[in-house]
Every structure is written in C-alpha cells, then in structure tokens.
Amino acid sequence: MTTADLILLDHAVAVLCIVAWFAAGVTASLRRAGLALVLLAVALLVALAKAGTVAVLAGRGWWFVQEKVLLGLPMLAVAALAAAVIAGPRLRARTKGAGRQDEVDAASVVVLLTAAFAAVAGFVVTFLVGHPLTLRTAAITIALVVAGALLTARVLDAETAGEPDAAGEPDPAGAPDAEPRRPELSRRRFLGVAGGVVVVGAAGTGVGLSVWPAAPATDLGGGPDPTSGAATPVTGLRGVDAPAPGGVRREHVLTARKATVRLESGRDIDAWTFNGTVPGTPITATQGDLIEVKLVNHDIDGAVTLHWHGYDVPCGEDGAPGVTQDAVPPGGEFVYRFRADQVGTYWYHTHHASHIGVRKGLYGTLVVRPREEQAAGRLDLTLPVHTFDGTATITGGAEHVAPAGTEVRLRLVNTDSDPHRVALAGTSFRVAAVDGRDLEGPGEISGTGLHLPAGGRYDLVFAMPDTSVALVLDDHAATVRVRPRADAPDEDPRAQDTMGWPELDLLTYGTPVPVALRTEAADRHFTLVLDRGVAMVDGSPAYAQTVNGRGHPSIPDQLVTEGDVVRFTVVNRSLETHPWHLHGHPVLILSRDGKTSSGSPLWVDTFDVRPGEVWEVAFRASNPGIWMNHCHNLPHAHEGMMLQLRYDGVSTPFGGMHHAVGADHHDS
Amino acid sequence: MSSVAGSGAGPVGETINGMKKLFTGLATLLLIAVVVQFYLAASGAFDSAPIEEAFQPHRLLGYSILALAIVSTLVAAIARMPGRMIGLAGLAAGLVLAQSLIREVAKAFGEGSSAGHYVFGVHAVNGLIIVGVLGMIVRRSRQISWKPAESNRMVS
C-alpha cells in the first residue's frame, strides 16, 4: 500500500469515526438505548481502527502522523474511554428497563457527543493545520472540544429539565421533579465550572502563544550561524561580459506584449507573448557563446522578468523579482547576460505573477548545443508542451519526415504547472538527458511511459526506423509524428494504448557512477514538509499550500555557506503533486521513499514529489546568491509554497521576496 | 440553572428570543448562499480559465458557508433551540464539510479518471440535500422564533 493510499485510508477511517460517534450520540438523545449501545460498540471499534491506521502510517515517517499521535488520538482515546465507562453501563441498564425510559439520558448523550467532537477536532487539525503541530493549536483545540461538551450539557440540561419544546411538541418528560435532581445538578455545576476553567485556561494559553514572537526568520539546517560583516549585494553577482574563446555573442531583444495568437489547432487566443509569439523567440547557442537578452515590457500589466529555468546563471541574472532585480514594468527594460557553459535543453519564463504570466504565454525555450556536434543528418526538435484553455498542445509538433537511420532527438519541455505523461510509440529509444543534463549509460527502452514533471525536460533519442513513430502526450491529447517518408502510414495501431504502459522509474535507469556528493556528510540538512493548511500568505489568512506549516513570505529562509554540502528531505503530506524547484543549482537525487537511487546519477532542477512521497536530494552550495526555492506548480507557489535559500554574506537591495510578492498580489 | 431561561420572559428571555431570530436569519442567509453557490458552480463549469481559477468564487463562498453553518449551530445551541434543531444545523455543517471531502476524494482518484468523476457527481447530489436540510431548518425555526412572540403579543 502506498503512503498516499494510507493517508486516504486514514482520512476515511477518521470520517467513519466521526459518523459513528455522532450516530451513537444522536440515537441516545432519541432515547434508543439499544441502538445507541450497538453504535457505541461500533464507534469504539472504529476508534481502534483509527489507532491502527495511524500506527501503520507512522512507519512511513513521523511527519505523516505527528499531530495525530500527539493530539488527535490521545484526545479521542480519553473521550472514547469516558464514553465507554459512563455511557456504556447506563445504556445497558436502560435496555434492561431500568431508569426512566421516557427521559433523555443527558450524561450518556454528552459523553458520546464529546467523543464525536474529539473525533471532529482531530480530523480538522489534520486538514487545517497539519505539520508541525504547535502547542498553540493543541491548546485551542482542547478548549474547543471541552467548550462543545459544556454547551451540549447546557442544552440537554434545559431540555431534560422539562422546558416545553418550543417547536410546539410538548416535552414528553412532562413536569420536572426538581427535588431528586438536586445532587446531580450540583455535580453538574461542579463539572461545568471545572470545564469552564479548562476552556478558559487552554484558550488563554493558545492565544497567549499566538502573540509570542514567531519562529526565527532563518533556518540554519544544523549549520553555523551567519557571520556578520560586509555583505555582497546580488547586483554584484552578474554574468561575464565576453564569450569563451571561439564563442560568439548572441544578442536578442524579447519584448513582452499582448497579442492574439493562432494555435496550430487554428484557434485564436489572447496571449501574453515575447515578441508576439507563443512560445517566445527560441534562444539557441553553442557552448561557450555569450547570451545577451534585452527584456522590454511593452504592455504587460504589472511587470515581467526572465528566469532561466534550470540554467545556473549568476544570481543577478536569475530574474526573481524583488530578490535579484526589480520587476520590469510597462515601458521598462532589463539586460540579462551570461555565458552558455551548460549544454542541454532549458527554458525561460517570467517569474513575476508567474502563475498567470506563464499560463498566458510568457515563456520560451533555451537550447545550448555542444561545440563539436554535427548538425547534418540529424533531426533535432525542441517541443514545449503547454496547455491553452484546457487543451494540451505541443508547439512545433505535428508532422515531420526523417529518412530511416536518421538520428532523432526530441527535446520535451513541460511548461505547465501539472505533470504530463509522454510515450513514444513505434520505436525503442533512450532518455539521453533529464533537465538538460546527460544521463550515464541510458539503456534502450520501449513500451514504457514517461512522467514529465512540471518545468522538467527530457531529451529522447532514437535512430529513425523505416516505419512511423509517434510521440503521444497524455491520453492522445496531442501527438507528434515522425515518418520515414512523407507517404508512410501511421505507426502500428497496436502500439497506441500508451496509457496502459508501465512508467519508467528514472531512479533505476542508466548506469550507476560514483559521485562524491552522494556519500559526503551534509553540512546543512533542511526538511521541507509540504502540506495544505490555514496559514498567512502575503499578510492575509488563506487555506494555503504550506512548507512546514507556513506560507510565503513567512517561511524561514534557508541559510547556507559557500562550499556547504546541503541536503533536502522533501516530504509531501498533501494529496497533490509538488514539483520542487531550486533556482541556481541542480540537485542530485539520493533516494525516494528510502529507496536509494541505483541508476545513473540523476541531476535535476525540478523533481515531482507525489502524494505521500519522501525525497532526499543533495547539492553543493557553489553559486552564491539568494535563490528562490519553490513548488513549480505555479498556482501552488502563489498560494504560499515558496521560500528562499540564502548564502551567508549575500544581501539584496530590492526589498526581498516580501516586497515582490506584495507587488504580484496587486497585479493578479 | 433551568428555571431562568423560559422563552419570552425577562431580559434573559428577550436575549434568547433575539438569538433564536438571529439563528433564523443565519439559516435563511445560508439557504440563499447555497443557491448562489449553485449559480457559481455552473458559471465556473463554463469558464475557460483553468479549474483552480474558474472555481475560485465557488470555493471561497463554500468556505464561508462552512464557517456560517458552524456559527449557526453554535447560535442554535446558545439560543436553546430544540435539540433536533441544533442537530439539523450540525447536520448541515457536516454536509457542507462533506462537500470538500468529496472533492478531495475525487481528486485522489486522479485528475480525469472516470472513478473520480463518478465520485464527484455526489457533490451535486449532496448540494441538493443541503438545500433540503436548510429549507427544513428555515421553515421550522421561523415557527419557533416568531410564534411564541406573536402569541405573547396577542395575550397582552
């Protein structure tokens, strides 16, 4: 059973638990003692089952159960035990005819409903707060449950005391005989006062802790404190101004403007474009060239920047608004300059209000080829995948002809916020590169689907067979076909059921090669628990996408020192996929769910952490700066899942992420 | 403890009666909000923006309805409405919470999977049940909140 399945099962048992306890309480209040007794037994069994699912889930990692083990379960256990001890014997006595059958047994109803409140509270804490549980949350939760119990007791007190049912149905209990009740009333009063003290005390503690100073603004990851002293501003971390020997200067102007763009399907869309096209002008270079791009914002409301996704540019060229530069407003411009030292398939996109800008078309491809490559006799296609108005498309797709034997390279770029499934039908192939970086010894595969994370890239290579080959996106949402001759028929239709193919696991693909980073002790280790929960995002409360229970810009910065070996443990507690993306550095995948990566070293800039998964990755802090570290599902980043990784001794004059995020809020 | 809070007499009774009317008002507001919610769902379904964005108003109003339903239940309890009334208000809150759960469960089956679609269909049916429960609450609570007051007036 996968961890995600377990999380779902645990939720299901939690809901069942709530239903069972409420059912027991309500039947007791309807004076159906026999049924209530049965439901009490059922509720106790479900509560036990809940303890079981939590125990199993705990085996997958403490992050998945912390709030359940420390608060939800103990609260439920106490309430359930009280219900069993108090309501159990009373209900049994009633089924045997003891007591006044026509009167509601208030004590039983109160304890049963309190158990229900405890079950609800545990579930709500899991959903709304998640990881990590704070003392504040625990105190307020307990206060609410006890307050619920008191309120229930008060209501029942009024009803059983014979107040006429206001609905016009006279209370069958009839006139109250106050005399024999007196001792019970005073006991109730005592319990009421005691409960009130608990409520006020717990709520007071919770609120008191809320106004306590918040968590430190910096996470040291177990490393040394920051040094004091002169800091280098990110504006000083710019790219070189000359190509490598033999390289050329490649100058581009990218003008961000609104335009109506005709898709290959023939549909017109109102897009935001670079130079009037979507994707924007493709940028290509040969290793060692100097890339110089002047970004001009013609009429994009708000602002734009250029982020070179996966390209490890100097920090000042990174295009993070408010961190490495001011966002470029309409009429403004900014020049990016960096040397194309890294070979491979990359892309660029705006990083300002990117959840809107990228979706509307502010992106393009960046491909750097090695110096020695022979272009002749090859088919090299760059294929950005993008969803317009709910329709997934592959730009530059459609039909191509390549004679049998031609070496074909398909460079897939996922520019969406959701993953795509890609399959190549009609040939065996190799995944030569992932996120621009070549794999070691990638083997020939066929009949295997590929999971392409948001923001990720795969280079697929194959020798053209003498029959047609089809690249299939998702369930035939889009298709790119390469034919050996213009009149060649489509590929074998038997190869078309690509959705049923198994998925390639890149962690076991290719040849392992020793990498020092894999075994080096980490200087700093950061844990990122991804979840949903109520948190402040941009200064207002939201049901946010959270990292360690917080949303940007309140997530502590991660501090590193140049030269550090840094590890991330990324845990996904939520039911959504989170493509994790660190700017400025590729990360080496160490393991997923405790299973060590056993294939080719896998260096990526975006890795999909699917529900319930735990990934360990490492990188060397070798590119000083202040770098965004976020979920590349861009709406998720906007909803809080974004923080920054800061090098010791680097500062920003741009007001920081807070400023940037505030600005982007106004535009969206 | 129980002798003071008769409905209709004294300042406490006045407050309680006020609370009952407040509850009726809240329940009516909830019913209207749920009707608007149906409208937002339909308009979201025909919006060309991505799902997250198209259903943003629907989702926001949904959370507001949940909060309002919980507040209503508490008001009903404080106003000493009959237990059945409090139960119904609590049921409405539970059903509203279930709307989010249905969405999460459907999503867990995977985007675009047919099982997910079938599960998600329950969201609409549950929406209708919520309308029914709220309608019942509004009708009954109007009787409770205004009838005694009217009879009082007639007596005096």
Side-chain angles (χ1 to χ4, degrees):
Chain A
M1 207 176 198
T2 68
T3 308
D5 291 339
L6 267 177
I7 292 173
L8 275 178
L9 178 68
D10 182 66
H11 287 338
V13 175
V15 171
L16 217 58
C17 197
I18 292 169
V19 171
W21 284 109
F22 267 117
V26 169
T27 38
S29 77
L30 296 175
R31 300 184 289 273
R32 302 281 302 277
L35 187 55
L37 195 60
V38 173
L39 286 168
L40 168 62
V42 171
L44 285 169
L45 281 177
V46 179
L48 269 180
K50 174 81 178 121
T53 58
V54 171
V56 178
L57 198 53
R60 306 298 168 93
W62 175 242
W63 316 283
F64 297 110
V65 294
Q66 186 227 19
E67 88 290 358
K68 305 179 214 285
V69 171
L70 295 184
L71 179 67
L73 274 188
M75 217 162 47
L76 181 63
V78 170
L81 210 63
V85 171
I86 296 171
R90 295 176 75 114
L91 290 173
R92 201 164 49 231
R94 284 209 163 203
T95 52
K96 289 182 180 147
R100 294 186 46 176
Q101 298 290 327
D102 53 355
E103 196 176 277
V104 174
D105 177 12
S108 295
V109 176
V110 169
V111 287
L112 290 171
L113 286 181
T114 301
F117 297 156
V120 170
F123 190 59
V124 166
V125 165
T126 294
F127 253 85
L128 296 191
V129 182
H131 183 93
L133 177 74
T134 58
L135 192 56
R136 178 184 77 184
T137 307
I140 291 176
T141 308
I142 291 169
L144 288 176
V145 170
V146 178
L150 287 179
L151 195 58
T152 310
R154 187 169 167 276
V155 167
L156 286 168
D157 210 30
E159 297 227 331
T160 53
E163 203 176 280
D165 193 315
E169 306 154 22
D171 191 339
D177 45 348
E179 282 304 306
R181 284 177 157 277
R182 202 155 277 158
E184 203 178 354
L185 265 184
S186 65
R187 199 179 75 220
R188 277 189 198 170
R189 184 156 296 164
F190 168 74
L191 284 174
V193 170
V197 168
V198 171
V199 170
V200 171
T205 311
V207 173
L209 286 169
S210 310
V211 296
W212 209 257
T218 307
D219 183 352
L220 300 174
D225 284 325
T227 51
S228 54
T232 312
V234 285
T235 44
L237 302 167
R238 301 301 301 264
V240 295
D241 192 21
V248 299
R249 186 178 280 267
R250 300 203 182 242
E251 293 178 32
H252 293 271
V253 176
L254 291 183
T255 303
R257 62 167 74 242
K258 292 176 186 164
T260 302
V261 173
R262 178 152 294 181
L263 301 179
E264 283 167 21
S265 65
R267 200 148 51 100
D268 286 336
I269 54 158
D270 291 325
W272 289 0
T273 72
F274 286 120
N275 294 347
T277 62
V278 176
T281 308
I283 296 178
T284 56
T286 303
Q287 192 176 19
D289 288 351
L290 186 85
I291 296 177
E292 185 176 297
V293 176
K294 181 155 107 179
L295 168 69
V296 179
N297 183 358
H298 178 65
D299 61 355
I300 299 299
D301 316 325
V304 291
T305 66
L306 284 179
H307 167 59
W308 310 94
H309 188 115
Y311 221 75
D312 306 324
V313 296
C315 189
E317 316 289 348
D318 192 48
V323 179
T324 68
Q325 66 171 94
D326 280 326
V328 181
E333 57 181 61
F334 190 93
V335 178
Y336 299 88
R337 198 178 291 124
F338 56 91
R339 206 158 71 191
D341 292 324
Q342 235 170 291
V343 170
T345 310
Y346 303 89
W347 63 300
Y348 63 83
H349 61 80
T350 183
H351 214 282
H352 179 88
S354 54
H355 62 293
I356 297 168
V358 176
R359 174 165 60 75
K360 290 193 167 202
L362 289 175
Y363 68 91
T365 57
L366 166 65
V367 173
V368 179
R369 295 190 171 82
R371 194 71 76 83
E372 65 277 11
E373 193 177 72
Q374 297 295 318
R378 283 166 169 257
L379 177 67
D380 187 332
L381 300 174
T382 305
L383 303 170
V385 175
H386 196 78
T387 301
F388 296 99
D389 294 353
T391 309
T393 59
I394 305 176
T395 312
E399 303 273 334
H400 299 270
V401 176
T406 307
E407 199 180 312
V408 180
R409 179 179 283 252
L410 306 179
R411 301 170 185 267
L412 286 160
V413 185
N414 184 355
T415 67
D416 279 330
S417 279
D418 290 304
H420 284 289
R421 186 186 167 88
V422 181
L424 200 55
T427 182
S428 63
F429 63 99
R430 293 179 292 124
V431 182
V434 171
D435 285 2
R437 287 120 184 137
D438 286 345
L439 297 186
E440 295 286 342
E444 290 272 333
I445 50 172
S446 61
T448 306
L450 302 172
H451 175 89
L452 180 59
R457 286 90 57 215
Y458 290 155
D459 287 19
L460 313 184
V461 301
F462 57 93
M464 188 62 201
D466 54 11
T467 49
S468 295
V469 172
L471 178 83
V472 179
L473 184 71
D474 302 330
D475 196 3
H476 292 264
T479 307
V480 175
R481 207 162 259 119
V482 186
R483 301 179 193 278
R485 300 167 307 279
D487 59 348
D490 285 358
E491 72 287 351
D492 186 350
R494 275 174 303 175
Q496 293 225 339
D497 176 31
T498 56
M499 288 306 276
W501 291 0
E503 185 182 301
L504 176 69
D505 183 3
L506 285 170
L507 269 68
T508 59
Y509 181 67
T511 315
V513 172
V515 182
L517 188 61
R518 199 187 285 280
T519 49
E520 277 178 89
D523 297 299
R524 302 197 192 246
H525 190 155
F526 300 99
T527 301
L528 299 99
V529 180
L530 314 180
D531 202 354
R532 291 212 76 169
V534 174
M536 298 297 281
V537 178
D538 295 333
S540 50
Y543 190 47
Q545 300 282 353
T546 59
V547 179
N548 299 332
R550 290 164 173 271
H552 76 75
S554 314
I555 306 168
D557 290 355
Q558 296 169 331
L559 186 89
V560 299
T561 310
E562 191 173 357
D564 277 352
V565 171
V566 185
R567 279 195 189 199
F568 285 164
T569 300
V570 188
V571 182
N572 187 354
R573 258 181 65 113
S574 78
L575 296 172
E576 289 160 284
T577 294
H578 297 299
W580 202 257
H581 174 57
L582 170 66
H583 286 204
H585 310 71
V587 299
L588 176 71
I589 304 297
L590 300 177
S591 71
R592 181 189 59 224
D593 295 340
K595 200 183 103 191
T596 309
S597 161
S598 60
S600 159
L602 199 54
W603 293 92
V604 299
D605 47 67
T606 319
F607 53 99
D608 249 351
V609 187
R610 293 196 244 184
E613 286 184 346
V614 180
W615 289 65
E616 292 267 351
V617 304
F619 64 96
R620 193 178 301 279
S622 56
N623 193 3
I626 301 176
W627 301 97
M628 305 302 295
N629 188 16
H630 64 99
C631 177
H632 214 278
N633 181 313
L634 299 173
H636 289 181
H638 178 69
E639 290 165 37
M641 208 170 257
M642 172 156 69
L643 65 150
Q644 50 192 21
L645 177 111
R646 193 155 53 79
Y647 276 66
D648 186 23
V650 180
S651 66
T652 174
F654 297 109
M657 188 171 62
H658 199 153
H659 173 78
V661 162
D664 111 13
H665 214 67
H666 289 294
D667 312 323
S668 50
Chain B
M1 207 168 163
S2 59
S3 57
V4 201
S7 37
V12 176
E14 286 291 316
T15 315
I16 295 282
N17 263 343
M19 292 288 276
K20 283 181 177 165
K21 284 180 180 145
L22 174 65
F23 172 74
T24 310
L26 284 174
T28 313
L29 189 63
L30 267 173
L31 188 58
I32 294 167
V34 171
V35 171
V36 173
Q37 193 66 335
F38 271 91
Y39 170 80
L40 290 178
S43 74
F46 291 103
D47 195 329
S48 61
I51 290 177
E52 277 292 315
E53 206 177 302
F55 284 96
Q56 177 87 352
H58 182 75
R59 196 165 43 246
L60 282 180
L61 185 60
Y63 292 141
S64 314
I65 288 174
L66 179 58
L68 201 59
I70 293 168
V71 169
S72 303
T73 311
L74 289 175
V75 169
I78 294 167
R80 302 200 174 176
M81 295 295 265
R84 192 165 299 164
M85 211 65 204
I86 304 169
L88 278 177
L91 176 66
L95 290 174
V96 172
L97 183 65
Q99 291 293 67
S100 305
L101 293 180
I102 291 165
R103 173 171 171 265
E104 292 300 323
V105 170
K107 255 167 91 174
F109 276 104
E111 298 288 346
S113 79
S114 54
H117 284 168
Y118 292 135
V119 172
F120 199 71
V122 180
H123 188 85
V125 177
N126 193 35
L128 285 175
I129 296 173
I130 290 171
V131 170
V133 171
L134 286 175
M136 206 189 313
I137 293 174
V138 170
R139 199 161 37 86
R140 287 226 211 147
S141 73
R142 283 173 75 104
Q143 291 169 356
I144 295 167
S145 312
W146 272 276
K147 261 203 182 143
E150 278 166 17
S151 57
N152 280 352
R153 220 176 297 138
M154 282 197 288
V155 169
S156 59

